[in-house]
């Protein structure tokens, strides 16, 4: 898996909300998500949002943000630099999120005004994206 966080805001730029994502490499589905600040507490929420199998077996590749090291079990955690390419997929998802969700664009009139609606918009995008990936994966399997 690849884990990363991206910055957003609700109401004003002074009210930061970080979106933490966990991406499963093989299927490219987002399997965990958390909203909050950039602390270990929010990282812990991300870890808890993962299905149990992932917490037991998956290797998690992250950047060097210290919250990951404080929350993820050392046996499951690998810190890597951006130049390694080990977090390239989740970084690409972050870019896609910014492009497709108007409320995440940094200079916009479409910013979120309500924290709950902000989360709903992001979760809807994630659910839609995961469903599209499942359909594509099923189509590929049925062709074999």
């Amino acid at each position: 898996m690849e884990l990363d966080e991206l910055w957003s805001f609700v109401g004003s730029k002074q009210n930061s909300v970080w979106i933490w994502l966990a991406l499963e490499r093989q299927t490219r589905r987002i399997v965990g998500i958390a909203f909050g600040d950039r602390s270990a507490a929010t990282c812990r929420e991300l870890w808890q949002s993962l299905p149990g199998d992932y917490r037991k077996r998956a290797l998690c590749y992250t950047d060097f943000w210290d919250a990951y090291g404080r929350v993820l079990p050392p046996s499951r955690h690998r810190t890597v630099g951006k130049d390694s390419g080990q977090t390239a997929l989740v970084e690409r998802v972050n870019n896609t999120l910014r492009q497709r969700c108007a409320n995440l664009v940094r200079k916009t009139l479409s910013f979120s005004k309500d924290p709950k609606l902000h989360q709903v918009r992001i979760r809807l995008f994630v659910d839609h994206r995961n469903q599209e990936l499942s359909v594509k994966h099923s189509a590929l399997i049925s062709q074999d």
Side-chain angles (χ1 to χ4, degrees), residues 9-126:
F9 66 93
V10 175
S12 72
K13 289 187 179 182
Q14 287 71 39
N15 190 16
S16 295
V17 176
W18 287 85
I19 303 165
W20 295 64
L21 299 174
L23 180 87
E24 198 261 323
R25 282 181 167 175
Q26 188 174 7
T27 63
R28 297 185 179 187
R29 293 180 50 163
I30 297 170
V31 294
I33 190 168
F35 299 88
D37 55 13
R38 214 166 173 216
S39 69
T42 308
C43 185
R44 202 166 293 109
E45 285 179 40
L46 175 66
W47 180 249
Q48 291 303 314
S49 76
L50 297 173
D53 268 359
Y54 289 99
R55 289 194 307 266
K56 288 178 190 169
R57 292 186 253 196
L59 283 178
C60 301
Y61 292 88
T62 70
D63 56 21
F64 293 99
W65 187 246
D66 68 327
Y68 293 117
R70 288 189 273 149
V71 173
L72 304 179
S75 62
R76 301 267 163 258
H77 184 217
R78 304 290 184 269
T79 55
V80 295
K82 294 201 187 282
D83 58 336
S84 72
Q86 296 292 329
T87 58
L89 293 174
V90 73
E91 294 286 351
R92 178 66 224 155
V93 169
N94 288 349
N95 289 335
T96 302
L97 245 170
R98 283 211 190 279
Q99 290 170 1
R100 302 240 175 109
C101 296
N103 57 314
L104 294 180
V105 177
R106 292 184 178 168
K107 293 184 178 183
T108 183
L109 296 175
S110 303
F111 65 90
S112 296
K113 296 164 189 73
D114 181 287
K116 290 188 191 234
L117 288 177
H118 185 69
Q119 289 186 23
V120 167
R121 285 183 188 126
I122 304 304
R123 289 182 188 278
L124 284 171
F125 172 83
V126 167

